[in-house]
């Protein structure tokens, strides 16, 4: 009996022992696999490579040929990370285009929700997997295993035997689950190591960045302390960034620019007006602020912008004052380019403010000198001696131009108005900035003339153009040009004459443009008596008989005759008619006004009458 029982139990014990032996053997395989993974991990730094190795080892343990590994991201979506196929090798690129747990994929969702292995023996008959994906990958049977850490699924591993059936035993599933648990621990540790490496790399990068910025700050500071100009600072920024650098004012005019010599650029790579008008570019530039001083304008090939521009706002005394641009040429824009631009913008803002203050101080000194010249408060010899330090050459002839201002624009200060006059005159005359002084209701500018000429005929037109350009901003009423000043003693008299002419123009409410002191001649003496109404009455009475009978032809002829100083030929040339025509018209004028327009007295009276009517706006 005992012998029979022993004989019956022995096979069972041997089976159990064999099972335990097999399980122990499989577990040792798992341990060996992870030993190999750990050894490989020492030299492999990319997480994707480690995940691919993890899937490959599971394939070998289960005797299948393909695997794909998915990782959970912060948005809780599972995206492909790595893949391996015995016949194709690394298939990570294809796997990384896939996503698990999406709509129509109940198979992946079941693995995620149960946090346990899920087996599909026949993919073609099972409704759970995503049909098109299975057909694309030619899957017949598939095992999905979760990577679980701290009760949360952090990844998925799918294994199959490309286009072939495969029977997964309970032991295979248990082995895969054990492998996945160890894999999750390994993966979590690898992710932590990767995170720490990224942090360490970030610390090193930040340290290098701080060292770089310290070097930049030192170089820029030393340049400013050494008295570097704005162009020198811009050139230094170009050298530090190894890219073109452009300094704009608020209207996007280029103030300075620089490019590394190796780029061989002859013109600054600017943001063209059509580019700046793009809504995206306008939005980028409008978004620059103290908290976000720099931003990148992206490439826009449709409008010819083939390079990215890093733009940084300049702020001076709380007001937007231009931009620093670093252009992506030669090398790609980097984070440290933003920091470089911001440091550069700060230094350039201080530099511009310093130059502005210096210019204002020099302008004030120059204005004081001009005031002394106009009011005769200094010795003439001293004025001549001091003139070169203010950029004035009193050995040259000059004229004074008085711009009479109406009601001032509340947004334009006195100093700003003077600067506008100086800048516009310099541009129109092609000279360096002329000296100018601000007076109540007026700006007086000192305009140099050629040494061998009197007032050029074109000067009136030039001053008229300046007046027209500035009038919308400064509300210029009239502009008066003085007689030529050739010595310091001439300027006080010219200044007095300008005031008289302006008062005369105001008394007639004249705002017709440009007058010269010389052209008024005798009328200034008449008007000085204060009998303005009588003068206007005289002028109307003088030409009244002609105006009643004329369509304008005779009056235009008479004016031209007076301008030509009574010369028939010159009058005919100006009007483009024959001399006999002029004589005929003069005869008609003589008959209508009952006086000879060709006599000296007639010429003087007509000149005076026309001046009065012009000032009165008739």
């Amino acid at each position: 009996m005992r012998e029979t029982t022993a004989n019956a139990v022995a096979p069972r014990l041997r089976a159990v022992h064999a099972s335990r032996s097999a399980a122990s053997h499989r577990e040792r395989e798992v341990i060996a696999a992870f030993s190999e993974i750990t050894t490989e991990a020492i030299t492999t730094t990319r997480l994707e490579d480690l995940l691919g190795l993890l899937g490959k080892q599971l394939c070998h343990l289960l005797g299948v040929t393909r695997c794909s590994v998915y990782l959970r991201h912060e948005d809780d979506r599972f995206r492909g990370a790595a893949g391996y196929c015995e016949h194709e090798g690394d298939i990570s690129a294809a796997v990384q285009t896939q996503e698990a747990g999406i709509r129509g994929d109940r198979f992946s969702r079941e693995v995620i929700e149960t946090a346990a292995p899920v087996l599909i023996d026949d993919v073609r008959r099972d409704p759970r997997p995503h049909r098109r994906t299975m057909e694309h990958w030619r899957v017949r049977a598939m095992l999905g295993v979760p990577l679980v850490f701290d009760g949360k699924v952090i990844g998925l591993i799918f294994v199959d035997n490309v286009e072939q059936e495969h029977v997964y035993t309970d032991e295979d599933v248990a082995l895969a689950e054990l492998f996945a648990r160890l894999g999750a621990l390994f993966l979590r540790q690898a992710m932590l190591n990767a995170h720490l490496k990224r942090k360490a790399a970030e610390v090193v990068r930040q340290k290098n960045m701080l060292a770089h910025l310290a070097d930049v700050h030192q170089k820029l500071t030393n340049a400013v302390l050494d008295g570097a100009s704005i162009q020198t600072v811009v050139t230094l920024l170009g050298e530090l960034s190894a890219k073109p650098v452009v300094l704009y004012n608020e209207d996007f005019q280029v103030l300075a620019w620089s490019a590394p010599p190796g780029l061989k650029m002859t013109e600054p790579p600017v943001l063209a007006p059509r580019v700046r008008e793009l809504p995206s570019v306008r939005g980028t530039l409008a978004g620059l602020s103290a908290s976000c001083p720099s931003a990148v304008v992206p490439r826009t090939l449709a409008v010819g912008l083939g390079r990215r521009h890093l733009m940084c706002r300049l702020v001076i005394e709380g007001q937007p004052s231009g931009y620093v641009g670093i252009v992506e040429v030669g090398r790609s824009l980097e984070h440290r380019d933003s920091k470089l631009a911001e440091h550069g913008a700060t230094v350039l803002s201080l530099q511009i403010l310093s130059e502005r203050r210096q210019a204002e101080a020099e302008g004030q000194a120059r204005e004081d000198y001009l005031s002394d010249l106009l009011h005769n408060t200094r010795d003439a010899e001293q004025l001549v001696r001091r003139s070169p330090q203010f950029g004035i050459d009193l050995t040259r002839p000059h004229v004074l131009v008085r711009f009479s201002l109406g009601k001032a624009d509340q947004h334009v200060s006195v100093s700003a108005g003077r600067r506008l006059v100086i800048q516009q005159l310099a541009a129109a005359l092609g000279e360096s900035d002329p000296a100018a002084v601000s007076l109540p209701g007026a700006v007086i500018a000192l305009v140099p003339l050629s040494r061998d000429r009197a007032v050029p005929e074109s000067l009136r037109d030039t001053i008229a153009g300046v007046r027209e350009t500035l009038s919308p901003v400064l509300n210029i009423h009239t502009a008066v040009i003085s007689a030529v000043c050739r010595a310091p003693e001439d300027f006080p008299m010219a200044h007095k004459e300008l005031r008289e002419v302006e008062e005369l123009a105001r008394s007639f409410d004249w705002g017709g443009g440009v007058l010269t002191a010389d052209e008024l001649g005798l009328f200034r003496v008449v008007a000085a008596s204060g009998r303005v109404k009588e003068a206007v009455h005289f002028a109307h009475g003088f030409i009244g008989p002609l105006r009643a009978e004329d369509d304008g032809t005779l009056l235009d002829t008479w004016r031209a005759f007076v301008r030509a100083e009574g010369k028939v030929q010159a009058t005919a040339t100006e009007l483009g008619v024959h001399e006999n025509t002029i004589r005929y018209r003069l005869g008609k004028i003589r008959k209508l006004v009952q006086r000879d327009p060709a006599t000296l007295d007639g010429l003087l009276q007509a000149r005076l009458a026309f001046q009065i009517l012009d000032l009165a706006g008739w």
Side-chain angles (χ1 to χ4, degrees), residues 66 70 98-99 102-105 123 129-139 142:
R66 183 169 60 187
Y70 292 74
Q98 304 296 309
E99 185 174 331
I102 59 176
R103 183 177 180 182
D105 180 15
V123 166
H130 191 272
R131 183 62 48 205
R132 289 185 180 177
T133 302
M134 296 298 101
E135 291 174 354
H136 173 74
W137 289 93
R138 307 187 304 279
V139 179
M142 175 176 281

Side-chain angles (χ1 to χ4, degrees), residues 123-306:
V123 166
R124 289 170 293 185
R125 296 176 181 273
D126 197 304
R128 288 174 292 176
H130 191 272
R131 183 62 48 205
R132 289 185 180 177
T133 302
M134 296 298 101
E135 291 174 354
H136 173 74
W137 289 93
R138 307 187 304 279
V139 179
R140 295 292 178 265
M142 175 176 281
L143 175 63
V145 187
L147 297 166
V148 182
F149 180 83
D150 199 18
K152 183 177 181 180
V153 177
I154 62 172
L156 303 170
I157 300 180
F158 298 101
V159 294
D160 74 289
N161 217 31
V162 186
E163 285 192 302
Q164 295 181 8
E165 306 292 344
H166 185 81
V167 177
Y168 296 87
T169 65
D170 292 342
E171 183 182 343
D172 288 337
V173 175
L175 185 69
E177 187 172 14
L178 173 61
F179 183 91
R181 288 177 183 174
L182 293 174
L185 292 172
F186 177 83
L187 175 59
R188 187 64 178 175
Q189 187 62 44
M191 293 173 67
L192 179 59
N193 290 342
H195 176 71
L196 292 176
K197 287 179 181 178
R198 287 195 299 272
K199 285 292 185 182
E202 178 65 18
V203 169
V204 172
R205 192 187 70 81
Q206 291 288 351
K207 182 179 178 181
N208 292 338
M209 175 68 75
L210 290 174
H212 172 72
L213 293 179
D215 182 56
V216 166
H217 178 75
Q218 186 67 37
K219 289 180 178 179
L220 290 174
T221 302
N222 288 343
V224 173
L225 292 177
D226 290 341
S229 65
I230 289 175
Q231 178 60 58
T232 302
V233 174
V234 171
T235 300
L236 179 56
L237 288 174
E239 293 173 356
L240 292 170
S241 66
K243 302 178 187 69
V245 176
V246 185
L247 174 63
Y248 301 93
N249 66 9
E250 196 63 15
D251 296 324
F252 280 93
Q253 295 173 325
V254 177
L255 302 179
W257 77 283
S258 176
L263 297 179
K264 298 180 180 179
M265 301 181 70
T266 58
E267 295 183 354
V270 299
L271 285 176
R274 61 177 180 173
V275 174
R276 301 198 301 268
E277 290 303 314
L278 291 175
S280 59
V281 176
R282 287 206 310 269
T284 298
L285 297 177
L288 298 179
S289 63
S291 60
C292 180
S294 62
V296 174
V297 174
R299 286 187 290 267
T300 311
L301 298 179
V303 293
L305 182 63

Side-chain angles (χ1 to χ4, degrees), residues 461-522:
D461 294 336
T462 300
I463 299 302
V466 171
R467 173 185 176 274
E468 183 178 355
T469 301
L470 293 176
S471 287
V473 181
L474 293 182
N475 189 19
I476 296 178
H477 188 260
T478 58
V480 184
I481 303 173
S482 75
V484 178
C485 301
R486 302 182 185 278
E489 297 82 2
D490 297 337
F491 290 96
M493 181 59 69
H495 181 214
K496 179 182 177 182
E497 290 176 347
L498 290 180
R499 288 201 308 270
E500 292 175 354
V501 172
E502 182 182 324
E503 290 171 2
L504 184 60
R506 286 186 182 277
S507 67
F508 279 92
D509 194 25
W510 182 80
V514 179
L515 286 171
T516 66
D518 290 338
E519 73 181 298
L520 293 181
L522 182 62

Side-chain angles (χ1 to χ4, degrees), residues 420-434 462 466:
L420 287 171
V421 169
I422 291 172
Q423 291 169 0
Q424 195 60 39
L425 270 175
L429 297 170
E431 295 266 356
S432 58
D433 290 352
T462 300
V466 171

Side-chain angles (χ1 to χ4, degrees), residues 361-597:
E362 292 174 353
Q364 184 60 52
R366 201 179 193 201
E367 185 174 358
D368 292 342
Y369 173 82
L370 182 56
S371 181
D372 290 340
L373 188 64
L374 299 184
H375 294 92
N376 197 26
T377 55
R378 299 277 182 178
D379 178 76
E381 183 180 346
Q382 183 183 14
L383 290 171
V384 173
R385 188 174 64 253
R386 293 179 60 211
S387 63
Q389 72 185 83
F390 300 107
I392 299 172
D393 181 5
L394 287 185
T395 64
R396 291 178 61 178
H398 291 76
V399 293
L400 300 175
V401 180
R402 181 182 179 106
F403 294 91
S404 175
L405 308 180
K407 186 176 180 181
D409 189 319
Q410 60 181 352
H411 300 296
V412 180
S413 65
V414 173
S415 60
R418 184 179 69 252
R419 274 200 308 273
L420 287 171
V421 169
I422 291 172
Q423 291 169 0
Q424 195 60 39
L425 270 175
L429 297 170
E431 295 266 356
S432 58
D433 290 352
V437 62
S438 299
L439 299 175
V443 173
I444 297 180
L446 184 64
V447 177
L449 303 176
S450 300
R451 297 180 186 276
D452 55 349
R453 295 185 59 184
V455 179
E457 294 294 331
S458 60
L459 184 59
R460 177 195 286 268
D461 294 336
T462 300
I463 299 302
V466 171
R467 173 185 176 274
E468 183 178 355
T469 301
L470 293 176
S471 287
V473 181
L474 293 182
N475 189 19
I476 296 178
H477 188 260
T478 58
V480 184
I481 303 173
S482 75
V484 178
C485 301
R486 302 182 185 278
E489 297 82 2
D490 297 337
F491 290 96
M493 181 59 69
H495 181 214
K496 179 182 177 182
E497 290 176 347
L498 290 180
R499 288 201 308 270
E500 292 175 354
V501 172
E502 182 182 324
E503 290 171 2
L504 184 60
R506 286 186 182 277
S507 67
F508 279 92
D509 194 25
W510 182 80
V514 179
L515 286 171
T516 66
D518 290 338
E519 73 181 298
L520 293 181
L522 182 62
F523 179 54
R524 286 175 49 216
V525 179
V526 175
S529 66
R531 304 174 69 87
V532 173
K533 290 184 179 179
E534 290 83 348
V536 174
H537 180 72
F538 155 75
H540 280 295
F542 187 79
I543 67 168
L546 180 64
R547 180 173 286 171
E549 301 292 333
D550 183 30
D551 61 357
T553 302
L554 295 179
L555 189 58
D556 289 343
T557 301
W558 200 359
R559 282 180 174 274
F561 187 66
V562 170
R563 285 195 298 272
E565 299 178 352
K567 297 174 182 177
V568 173
Q569 183 179 5
T571 305
T573 300
E574 179 182 340
L575 297 180
V577 297
H578 196 274
E579 293 179 23
N580 289 339
T581 302
I582 299 299
R583 293 188 182 94
Y584 171 75
R585 292 176 183 176
L586 290 174
K588 292 188 68 175
I589 293 171
R590 184 185 306 109
K591 181 178 179 180
L592 289 171
V593 300
Q594 297 297 310
R595 57 175 58 87
D596 188 353

